Amino acid sequence: MVLNYMNKYIEEIEKCIECKICDDVCPTYLATNNELEIPRNRLKIAVKIFNEEKISDAEYKSIYSCTKCEMCDLNCSSEISISKIIGKARESLFSQGYELLPGHKNLRDGILKRKNSTKGDPKHLLDYLPDNFEYDKDSTTLYYAGCLSGYFLKSISTTSVRILNKIGTSFKVMKDEICCGSPLVDLGDIESAKRFFKENLEIFEKNNVKELIVSCSGCYRSFVEFYPEIIGKTIPITHIVDIIADAIKQNKIQFKKTDKKVIYHDPCHLGREFQIYDSPRQILEAATKNLVEFEKHHDDATCCGADSTARAGSKDMAVKVALKRVDKAVEKADILVTACPFCVFNLNYARRKNDRNIKVQYITEFLNDLLD
Ligand code: SF4
Ligand code: SF4
């Protein structure tokens, strides 16, 4: 049975004029040459899914290997919301009872069991705090570390809170933090996501939290886009790059300028989606004499390959996409800086596994070395 809202998406897909422009912009297809990953072909698979026709394992995988980078949306001649439709196809697959890919099952099970996406032990979340770190326990602003930077890439959170303190921002941290729920949306499990959204907002209310500061672009997207869309409410949120850029303008923080060549990678969920392009560049201009750009940057920036749970399901694809981005950076720079923990993780993994000579850092890790 095709639900009404699915019909809406089928009608939108029918606007495709097969111009093939999307073939040339999809990072996953360009990295793998798998024709099922061409955006217009993913749309054809989505139609089958909405009509509840059987799809092959390879077709299933191509729906989940999309990073929802929105590059196809931006370039589509018929202005089809391709990435959104792919997300709806995942919802449909999940509700039809298709079994998740092993990496995705593992991810979902971990989130449902431990309430974070990295299998971290909640008792150790605040281990990221620097020694003898003091924060304002009465603040109504929470530094929300997020799963990846809270449990796994801890130096992102360590350097983030250190810089917030240096600026003089009032904030607190919280051991009761749980996953924002965005991976569940990306897996198509909307009912579980709703439970996490509601629980998060209840925890914030109980702890007198009125606004968030985040380092993670995935968490940012979740609170700005998914919460209002799915449960009709959210909490005010600021990405840390906007706070640091403001502080630089107000002379609240200074950095030594490095001579190294630094290149900035725009995370899809900060750049194309929310147009946060200026703040990271203003920050980097204050901390390097040599800021360079990728050939493809701002709206044209290529995805790192990890987003929207794509890496958890299709690691080889994700690493191939990342390596292409790393190789472009190596041509121009000594340090590759970005503002999303997932980008840091995947780009750094591709660099390390392939012996590329470049440092990959989250923006606060980079700044921490240059604090005046
Ligand atoms: S959103 Fe990105 S990865 Fe997904 S189909 Fe479009 S261009 Fe490809
Ligand atoms: S760019 Fe849009 S209209 Fe053109 S082939 Fe791709 S999906 Fe179809």
Side-chain angles (χ1 to χ4, degrees), residues 126 128-129 133 135 141-143 161 171-175:
L126 293 185
Y128 71 75
L129 288 176
F133 188 77
Y135 56 89
T141 302
L142 173 71
Y143 172 72
V161 295
F171 69 96
K172 64 184 169 192
V173 295
M174 203 173 66
K175 66 175 175 33

Side-chain angles (χ1 to χ4, degrees), residues 12-13 15-23 25 38-41 43-44 72-73 75-80 82:
E12 192 175 348
I13 293 168
K15 290 195 298 185
C16 173
I17 54 169
E18 289 285 335
C19 67
K20 301 188 180 175
I21 284 175
C22 54
D23 298 25
V25 299
I38 294 174
R40 64 191 160 86
N41 289 341
L43 290 180
K44 288 178 192 134
C72 51
D73 306 355
N75 287 279
C76 176
S77 313
S78 300
E79 297 183 358
I80 301 170
I82 303 170

Side-chain angles (χ1 to χ4, degrees), residues 39 74 84 114 120 123 188 251 264 269-270 285 304 330 332-333:
L74 191 71
K84 189 174 183 78
R114 290 191 171 244
K123 283 204 295 288
N251 282 322
Y264 179 69
H269 299 319
L270 209 57
E285 273 161 10
C304 78
V330 169
K332 291 188 164 188

Side-chain angles (χ1 to χ4, degrees), residues 159 163 244 248 253-256 283-284 286-287 337 361-372:
T159 52
I163 286 173
I244 302 172
I248 290 170
I253 193 163
Q254 285 88 34
F255 303 99
K256 295 186 277 273
I283 294 168
L284 293 176
V337 174
Q361 288 187 303
Y362 186 79
I363 196 161
T364 52
E365 294 176 310
F366 169 73
L367 294 174
N368 187 60
D369 296 339
L370 300 166
L371 275 172
D372 221 1

Side-chain angles (χ1 to χ4, degrees), residues 125-192:
L125 172 63
L126 293 185
D127 288 359
Y128 71 75
L129 288 176
D131 290 344
N132 305 317
F133 188 77
E134 290 186 7
Y135 56 89
D136 180 2
K137 292 186 175 58
D138 295 325
S139 177
T140 55
T141 302
L142 173 71
Y143 172 72
Y144 180 89
C147 303
L148 191 56
S149 38
Y151 287 104
F152 196 58
L153 303 179
K154 283 181 184 290
S155 78
I156 293 178
S157 292
T158 308
T159 52
S160 291
V161 295
R162 192 175 280 147
I163 286 173
L164 288 173
N165 242 14
K166 183 100 178 161
I167 289 169
T169 309
S170 164
F171 69 96
K172 64 184 169 192
V173 295
M174 203 173 66
K175 66 175 175 33
D176 297 334
E177 189 182 309
I178 62 169
C179 174
C180 70
S182 76
L184 296 167
V185 177
D186 287 324
L187 293 176
D189 181 2
I190 301 302
E191 288 312 310
S192 298

